[in-house]
Amino acid sequence: MKKIILYAALIVGFASMSEATITLNLAGGNLYGADTSTLLPVGTVIQLVVDRNHDGFTTPSVGSFTGNSADDFILASFTVGPTAGQFGVVVNFSLGNGIDTTDPLILRWFPGLTSSATPPADTTQRFGQFRTDIVQAVDGSDINWNVPADGFAYFLTFYTASQGGSNPDSAGVANMFVTAIPEPSTLGLLMVGLAGAVVVGRRAKIA
């Protein structure tokens, strides 16, 4: 009877460990648009994205925050505030859904977008991004921007020099653009064209 109780306790213990929650305390500032003259207004979209396959992050594209990548996953979507250019939020999640420890994390902000459910609509949309594998705080309160071990709380911060951080103000500037993804019909025409070119080339060699 005691053995059965012990086994049951072990099973419950392992189950609780597997369902442990990771808590990320995110904070940062200052974030800008095209230059460092104007801080992003309160309500601007910020996202935390994880690269589940460790194969690099895909650039955001028209209609997609993750660039239509199958392995880039949005862990959290929030907004600038309560002060312009700054943010502070707590993100809770569990491992699973392809997410594991050491998966790279990246922070992205989208000036001009004020709804987290609305992805970029055209190629004029700018975005900024940040990630590092360097522990920034001398006291160890920061960690590298990767998914940490489960069951604990961690602090991830991104502060520019104007906020007393080690990153230059230019690191907070959204100076990148989303890309345009060809429509399926366009891709189909391109494939047909390539196939035709291959056939013509082979016939030329035979002749």
Side-chain angles (χ1 to χ4, degrees), residues 29-197:
N30 285 322
L31 300 182
Y32 307 90
D35 53 54
T36 57
S37 62
T38 305
L39 293 172
L40 291 184
V42 172
T44 301
V45 170
I46 306 177
Q47 291 189 330
L48 183 68
V49 181
V50 59
D51 174 19
R52 293 180 289 189
N53 286 351
H54 296 214
D55 58 357
F57 291 91
T58 303
T59 300
S61 62
V62 175
S64 174
F65 283 116
T66 59
N68 296 318
S69 172
D71 70 302
D72 290 356
F73 182 79
I74 299 173
L75 270 183
S77 185
F78 47 99
T79 58
V80 171
T83 304
Q86 301 178 27
F87 64 92
V89 66
V90 177
V91 177
N92 295 304
F93 66 97
S94 299
L95 298 180
N97 195 25
I99 300 172
D100 204 349
T101 57
T102 74
D103 286 352
L105 296 171
I106 197 167
L107 186 77
R108 284 179 172 153
W109 54 98
F110 297 82
L113 293 184
T114 56
S115 171
S116 59
T118 304
D122 58 64
T123 56
T124 65
Q125 175 63 58
R126 290 176 179 269
F127 72 96
Q129 63 183 24
F130 174 82
R131 71 160 272 106
T132 180
D133 283 322
I134 300 173
V135 177
Q136 294 186 309
V138 176
D139 62 2
S141 61
D142 287 355
I143 63 168
N144 54 353
W145 284 68
N146 294 326
V147 174
D150 63 346
F152 297 93
Y154 290 85
F155 291 87
L156 288 176
T157 60
F158 170 54
Y159 288 101
T160 55
S162 56
Q163 280 292 307
S166 58
N167 299 290
D169 283 1
S170 58
V173 173
N175 57 359
M176 305 176 72
F177 288 91
V178 300
T179 58
I181 301 297
E183 296 179 358
S185 57
T186 304
L187 289 173
L189 289 174
L190 288 174
M191 294 300 292
V192 170
L194 288 173

